């Protein structure tokens, strides 16, 4: 198996960093900077899904749960920051001006607590959920259905708690972002640059994990779980790490989505939103480093452009793209590049029949 030189992914990440951090702010209008920021948030989620699904074989259909945890944590802080010290959010005043602020809202007045919650909440939830599922060897369709059911349950819960979370209306009308005025164009660019830098960081993290001993073990667990267990490793722990990392990335994406878009509702974290995230990863190529991010950006652009001008047709276009990719490009558009480069490689002699050739990932784990 021919391996990609370690320098090539780093060059790609560097090029992407230049495009997002230098070129985009210089050439794009504020409207498109805002849209690109939204696509960047979805790309961050997609990078995590690529690790869990592409490398780990876990079809995570419920990333909306972790996206929602980060989004609502950030939205609660920005709402309280907009309301001012010792004041209630506007939507709570409309329902009951005399009601006290719910106890779980109070800590989110602190920016430090909010940042910590964005990281730690998904770690705790994903660790508990993943441990319960992986230790019982739940996988495949059952795992996918359970994770998606959690996304639906969270969306329904938020919709039903109108006085505490705003319900279906969600949280919006944010004026400040950790002291910076969000209506200022310079501050909007700053928020976009933060989101872009976080995407680059997530790509670097996944690149490092993929090329590490853990990355080899994760792929080996995906392809031959029982053989990994016989080697003395617990596949549940291997999967759990990837699941938690993907959850943290989704939470970070949700947190940055809020100041960029200016609103968060249950519709952004339910089953439809989670499936949309998976569709981007499938389109770009779940097993590649850049495929999930680029696929998510492409799906985001399609939703914003075609979805607004042709809302009825966009759903059919998305469904058609998903069917075509599943049938003809199961590894996504990134596999086309692999086929193109493979056509120019010298052919290798096929192994002799009956030769026992171990999987390269398991061979690396044994060393």
């Amino acid at each position: 198996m021919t391996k990609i030189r370690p320098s090539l992914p780093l060059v790609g990440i560097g090029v992407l960093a230049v495009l997002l951090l230098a070129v985009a702010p210089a050439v794009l209008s504020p409207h498109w900077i805002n849209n690109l920021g939204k696509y960047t948030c979805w790309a961050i989620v997609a990078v995590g899904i690529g690790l869990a699904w592409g490398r780990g074989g876990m079809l995570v259909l419920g990333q909306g749960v972790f996206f929602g945890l980060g989004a609502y944590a950030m939205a609660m802080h920005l709402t309280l920051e907009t309301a001012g010290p010792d004041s209630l959010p506007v939507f709570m005043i409309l329902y009951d001006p005399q009601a006290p602020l719910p106890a779980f809202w109070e800590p989110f007045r602190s920016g430090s607590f909010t940042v910590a919650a964005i990281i730690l909440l998904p770690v705790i939830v994903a660790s508990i959920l993943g441990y319960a599922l992986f230790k019982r060897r739940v996988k495949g369709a059952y795992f996918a259905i359970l994770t998606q059911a959690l996304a639906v349950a969270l969306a329904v819960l938020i919709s039903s708690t109108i006085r505490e979370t705003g319900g279906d209306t969600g949280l919006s009308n944010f004026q400040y972002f950790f002291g910076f005025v969000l209506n200022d164009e310079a501050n909007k660019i700053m928020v976009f640059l933060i989101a872009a830098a976080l995407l680059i960081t997530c790509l670097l993290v996944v690149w490092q994990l993929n090329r590490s001993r853990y990355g080899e073990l994760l792929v080996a667990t995906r392809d031959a779980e029982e053989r990994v267990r016989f080697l003395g490793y617990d596949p549940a722990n291997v999967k759990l790490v990837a699941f938690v990392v993907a959850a943290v990335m989704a939470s970070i994406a949700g947190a940055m989505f809020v100041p960029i878009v200016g609103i968060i509702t249950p519709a952004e974290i339910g089953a439809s939103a989670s499936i949309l995230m998976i569709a981007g990863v499938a389109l770009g190529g779940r097993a590649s480093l850049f495929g999930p991010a680029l696929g998510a950006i492409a799906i985001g652009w399609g939703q914003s452009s075609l979805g607004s001008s042709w809302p009825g047709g966009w759903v059919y276009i998305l469904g058609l793209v998903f069917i075509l990719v599943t049938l003809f490009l199961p590894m996504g558009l990134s596999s086309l590049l692999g086929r193109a480069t493979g056509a120019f490689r010298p052919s290798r002699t096929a192994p002799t029949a009956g030769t026992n050739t171990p999987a390269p990932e398991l061979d690396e784990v044994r060393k």
Side-chain angles (χ1 to χ4, degrees), residues 44 57 86 89 95 110 120 145 160 167 171 230 233 278 290 294 298 315 329 345:
I44 294 174
D86 302 324
Y95 286 109
S110 167
L120 296 179
I145 292 171
S160 62
L171 301 175
F230 291 151
Y233 296 93
I278 287 287
F290 296 100
L294 298 178
V315 178
L329 288 172
R345 292 174 185 164

Side-chain angles (χ1 to χ4, degrees), residues 65-66 69 120-131 150 243 247:
V65 171
F66 308 110
L69 289 176
L120 296 179
L121 277 177
V123 170
I124 295 171
V125 174
S127 297
I128 295 174
L129 175 63
Y131 186 85
L150 288 175
F243 187 60

Side-chain angles (χ1 to χ4, degrees), residues 6 10 15 91 115 121-122 163 202 247 257 334 342 355 357:
L10 283 180
V15 171
F91 77 92
V115 173
L121 277 177
R163 297 191 178 188
C202 290
F257 181 87
S334 62
T355 302
T357 305

